[in-house]
Amino acid sequence: MSLLDDLGRGGHLRLLDRELAATLRRLEPATPDLVLAGAALASLAVSHGHAGFDPARPRRLVENGPDWPSAEIWMDTLASSDWVAGGTPDAAGNRPLVLEGGLLYLRRYREYEHRLAARLRALAGHVPVAVDAAALAPVFDALFPAGSSDPLQARAAALALQRALLLVTGGPGTGKTTTIARMLVLLLAQARLAGHPPLRIALAAPTGRAAERMAESLQAAVARMASADGFEPAWVEALPKGASTLHRLLGTIPGSPRFRHGADHPLPYDVVVVDEASMVDLPLMCKLAEAVPDGARLVLLGDPDQLPSVEAGDVLASICAATGDAADEASATAALAGHRVHLLRGYRQSAGFELAPLADAVREGDADRTLALLRGNTLDGVHFHEGATDPLVTGAVALLPHWRALAGSVDPAAALASAAQLRLLTAVRGGPQGTHLLNARIEEALVGPRPPTHFHGRLLLVVENSYRHRLFNGDIGICLRDERGTLVAWFADSGGDTGGAVRAFHPAALPAHESAFAMTVHKAQGSEFDTVWLQLPRTDGRGLSRELLYTAITRARRQLHVCASEAVLRGALGRHVERVSGLAGRLR
């Protein structure tokens, strides 16, 4: 029996993967089985978030698979196939597969990696016009007073004057947005002192909610700056008032995977700042980087310890691996050395909420310390419901009353703001602790058995991009009746310059969506909530990881409730997300 047949009978392949192999076999019946199996696995790898398939480590993709051939035999067979191109820049031609750097790629994803690496290197190689340090010193001193400001934030702002590509990384609450606000003011002041027109600045994020939060955080940072001694209001006049989704920034074309802006039609901006860069997948980051015009700056903000994008690639981690840390002398030999500043601990929290020690323990995968902190009841605002498997029972006092109150809202914008105060997060979609069953139970509790598809007070989560509606995967809405009693789906306007504005849709006209009372951690990435209830499944599974736990708990601003068993927590903390990718190597 062939390897391809074994994979199919074992249920390891999707229909799409099998069809790719079947197409190659139909076009060339003599195609070796190892090439057909490799093609199917390269396709499967993309669905698992990898950029390519590693024949030397197939168990990273299929844990309980068949007996695997030796890597040497597999690689030799692939290299000699007419379906597989070598790794030279123009070798792929029309071949559907590329073997390069020990990885087997679908041609398109190899091209994304190659193009993204080339564009990032080009951006990093551009040297902005020299700064008149003496003229800019009063502005810098006002923004970063000696003795009372974070030296790493000041270093990041100073580097922005010297770099066209810059990464500012760090955990939640480490001051990334504050740094960016001051950095932009510094760049605007530089342009003004040089007699140049005000810089054209774009702020963007992967999701609508992340874009809204970015704009809100920037405005708050500007308000804090405005109260500082020596600050001139004119410094912030050219700052954008809002942020947009990356899709809207690039200009979506209905029915097409392409964007209006790209290498041939660059963005009309001098500075492009992207928040939550860990969520940006390989194809989108490639298209973004190519749309940044020559001579402009690209600034990426993100937390490399969070979950990577749901789609292919772990782009932020790969770029970080190639940049090193500008504050670390040991990184001086990195390929893009001096293009990254990593801000240190802060973590978003309010008075009476002590998240930092737990976040550190989870990020490091320290199960003993994590459990000790959870069980010790010493962290303000952190609650551990050990062994709890039903959040609707454990959180009966908090969860259902909160969702019932949403139905009493008459202002959609206020209802959406209220909904964001609390969220039930899960690690999985299926099973008793998954979003499907929990949302069904919540709907029944709110409106009775057999609830209608849409009802007053239903929270909605968009699960596919709709460029026509300007609604994107991850956007949150709510169904409320308007003044005429018509049920309407309301969504915040993520366009960026109309704070608090909402848009109305007929529920039947919406793109694919589901209830959002319970959400997966992946869908919640880029958002934050006053209170987070995290429900982990009863049994450990491959999808659980320290990155998932870290992302989940750092969504909380005031309170965190963790419902899990010791065994599941230990299993998750012992598992580290690792994506197969050649991007870091290309950047080096």
Side-chain angles (χ1 to χ4, degrees), residues 440-459:
R441 292 178 57 205
I442 292 165
E443 291 179 357
E444 186 171 331
L446 294 177
V447 297
R450 298 182 181 179
T453 303
H454 299 99
F455 56 86
H456 184 72
R458 185 192 181 198
L459 281 179

CSV table of all heavy atoms in Angstrom, one decimal, residues 440-459:
chain,number,residue,atom,x,y,z
A,440,ALA,N,-24.7,27.4,21.8
A,440,ALA,CA,-26.1,26.8,21.7
A,440,ALA,C,-26.8,26.8,23.0
A,440,ALA,O,-28.0,27.2,23.1
A,440,ALA,CB,-26.0,25.4,21.1
A,441,ARG,N,-26.1,26.4,24.1
A,441,ARG,CA,-26.6,26.4,25.4
A,441,ARG,C,-27.0,27.8,25.9
A,441,ARG,O,-28.0,28.1,26.5
A,441,ARG,CB,-25.7,25.7,26.4
A,441,ARG,CG,-25.5,24.2,26.1
A,441,ARG,CD,-24.5,23.6,27.1
A,441,ARG,NE,-24.9,23.9,28.5
A,441,ARG,CZ,-24.1,23.9,29.5
A,441,ARG,NH1,-22.8,23.8,29.3
A,441,ARG,NH2,-24.6,24.2,30.7
A,442,ILE,N,-26.1,28.8,25.6
A,442,ILE,CA,-26.3,30.2,26.0
A,442,ILE,C,-27.5,30.7,25.3
A,442,ILE,O,-28.4,31.4,25.9
A,442,ILE,CB,-25.1,31.0,25.7
A,442,ILE,CG1,-23.9,30.6,26.6
A,442,ILE,CG2,-25.4,32.5,25.9
A,442,ILE,CD1,-22.6,31.1,26.2
A,443,GLU,N,-27.6,30.5,24.0
A,443,GLU,CA,-28.8,31.0,23.2
A,443,GLU,C,-30.1,30.4,23.8
A,443,GLU,O,-31.1,31.1,23.9
A,443,GLU,CB,-28.7,30.6,21.8
A,443,GLU,CG,-27.6,31.4,21.1
A,443,GLU,CD,-27.4,30.9,19.6
A,443,GLU,OE1,-28.1,30.0,19.2
A,443,GLU,OE2,-26.6,31.6,18.9
A,444,GLU,N,-30.1,29.1,24.1
A,444,GLU,CA,-31.3,28.5,24.7
A,444,GLU,C,-31.6,29.1,26.1
A,444,GLU,O,-32.8,29.3,26.4
A,444,GLU,CB,-31.1,27.0,24.8
A,444,GLU,CG,-32.3,26.2,25.3
A,444,GLU,CD,-32.1,24.7,25.2
A,444,GLU,OE1,-31.4,24.3,24.3
A,444,GLU,OE2,-32.8,24.0,26.0
A,445,ALA,N,-30.6,29.4,26.8
A,445,ALA,CA,-30.8,30.0,28.2
A,445,ALA,C,-31.4,31.4,28.0
A,445,ALA,O,-32.2,31.9,28.9
A,445,ALA,CB,-29.5,30.0,29.0
A,446,LEU,N,-31.0,32.1,26.9
A,446,LEU,CA,-31.5,33.5,26.8
A,446,LEU,C,-32.9,33.6,26.2
A,446,LEU,O,-33.6,34.5,26.5
A,446,LEU,CB,-30.5,34.3,25.9
A,446,LEU,CG,-29.1,34.5,26.4
A,446,LEU,CD1,-28.2,35.2,25.4
A,446,LEU,CD2,-29.1,35.3,27.7
A,447,VAL,N,-33.2,32.8,25.2
A,447,VAL,CA,-34.5,32.9,24.5
A,447,VAL,C,-35.3,31.7,24.5
A,447,VAL,O,-36.4,31.7,23.8
A,447,VAL,CB,-34.2,33.4,23.0
A,447,VAL,CG1,-33.6,34.8,23.0
A,447,VAL,CG2,-33.4,32.4,22.3
A,448,GLY,N,-34.9,30.6,25.1
A,448,GLY,CA,-35.7,29.4,25.2
A,448,GLY,C,-35.3,28.4,24.2
A,448,GLY,O,-34.4,28.6,23.3
A,449,PRO,N,-35.9,27.2,24.2
A,449,PRO,CA,-35.6,26.1,23.3
A,449,PRO,C,-35.8,26.5,21.8
A,449,PRO,O,-36.7,27.4,21.5
A,449,PRO,CB,-36.6,25.0,23.7
A,449,PRO,CG,-37.0,25.3,25.1
A,449,PRO,CD,-37.0,26.8,25.1
A,450,ARG,N,-35.0,25.9,20.9
A,450,ARG,CA,-35.1,26.2,19.5
A,450,ARG,C,-35.1,27.7,19.2
A,450,ARG,O,-36.0,28.3,18.6
A,450,ARG,CB,-36.3,25.6,18.9
A,450,ARG,CG,-36.3,24.1,19.0
A,450,ARG,CD,-37.6,23.5,18.4
A,450,ARG,NE,-37.6,22.0,18.5
A,450,ARG,CZ,-38.5,21.2,18.0
A,450,ARG,NH1,-39.6,21.8,17.4
A,450,ARG,NH2,-38.5,19.9,18.2
A,451,PRO,N,-34.0,28.4,19.6
A,451,PRO,CA,-34.0,29.8,19.4
A,451,PRO,C,-33.9,30.1,17.9
A,451,PRO,O,-33.4,29.3,17.1
A,451,PRO,CB,-32.7,30.3,20.1
A,451,PRO,CG,-31.8,29.0,20.1
A,451,PRO,CD,-32.8,27.9,20.3
A,452,PRO,N,-34.4,31.2,17.4
A,452,PRO,CA,-34.3,31.6,16.0
A,452,PRO,C,-32.9,31.9,15.6
A,452,PRO,O,-32.0,32.1,16.5
A,452,PRO,CB,-35.2,32.9,15.9
A,452,PRO,CG,-35.2,33.4,17.3
A,452,PRO,CD,-35.1,32.3,18.2
A,453,THR,N,-32.6,31.9,14.3
A,453,THR,CA,-31.3,32.1,13.8
A,453,THR,C,-30.8,33.4,14.3
A,453,THR,O,-29.6,33.6,14.8
A,453,THR,CB,-31.3,32.1,12.3
A,453,THR,OG1,-31.8,30.8,11.8
A,453,THR,CG2,-29.8,32.3,11.8
A,454,HIS,N,-31.6,34.5,14.3
A,454,HIS,CA,-31.2,35.8,14.8
A,454,HIS,C,-32.3,36.3,15.8
A,454,HIS,O,-33.5,36.1,15.6
A,454,HIS,CB,-31.1,36.8,13.6
A,454,HIS,CG,-30.0,36.4,12.6
A,454,HIS,ND1,-30.3,35.8,11.4
A,454,HIS,CD2,-28.7,36.6,12.7
A,454,HIS,CE1,-29.2,35.6,10.8
A,454,HIS,NE2,-28.2,36.0,11.5
A,455,PHE,N,-31.8,36.8,16.9
A,455,PHE,CA,-32.8,37.3,17.9
A,455,PHE,C,-32.2,38.5,18.6
A,455,PHE,O,-31.0,38.8,18.5
A,455,PHE,CB,-33.0,36.2,18.9
A,455,PHE,CG,-31.8,35.7,19.6
A,455,PHE,CD1,-31.3,36.3,20.7
A,455,PHE,CD2,-31.2,34.5,19.1
A,455,PHE,CE1,-30.2,35.8,21.4
A,455,PHE,CE2,-30.1,34.0,19.8
A,455,PHE,CZ,-29.6,34.6,20.9
A,456,HIS,N,-33.1,39.3,19.2
A,456,HIS,CA,-32.7,40.5,19.9
A,456,HIS,C,-31.7,40.2,21.0
A,456,HIS,O,-32.0,39.4,21.9
A,456,HIS,CB,-33.9,41.2,20.5
A,456,HIS,CG,-33.7,42.5,21.2
A,456,HIS,ND1,-33.5,43.6,20.4
A,456,HIS,CD2,-33.7,42.8,22.5
A,456,HIS,CE1,-33.3,44.6,21.3
A,456,HIS,NE2,-33.5,44.2,22.5
A,457,GLY,N,-30.5,40.8,20.9
A,457,GLY,CA,-29.5,40.6,21.9
A,457,GLY,C,-28.4,39.6,21.5
A,457,GLY,O,-27.5,39.3,22.3
A,458,ARG,N,-28.5,39.0,20.3
A,458,ARG,CA,-27.6,38.0,19.9
A,458,ARG,C,-26.3,38.7,19.5
A,458,ARG,O,-26.2,39.6,18.7
A,458,ARG,CB,-28.1,37.2,18.7
A,458,ARG,CG,-27.1,36.0,18.3
A,458,ARG,CD,-27.5,35.4,17.0
A,458,ARG,NE,-26.5,34.3,16.7
A,458,ARG,CZ,-26.4,33.8,15.5
A,458,ARG,NH1,-27.1,34.2,14.5
A,458,ARG,NH2,-25.5,32.8,15.3
A,459,LEU,N,-25.1,38.2,20.1
A,459,LEU,CA,-23.8,38.7,19.7
A,459,LEU,C,-23.4,37.9,18.5
A,459,LEU,O,-23.5,36.6,18.4
A,459,LEU,CB,-22.8,38.5,20.8
A,459,LEU,CG,-22.8,39.5,22.0
A,459,LEU,CD1,-21.8,39.1,23.0
A,459,LEU,CD2,-22.6,40.9,21.4
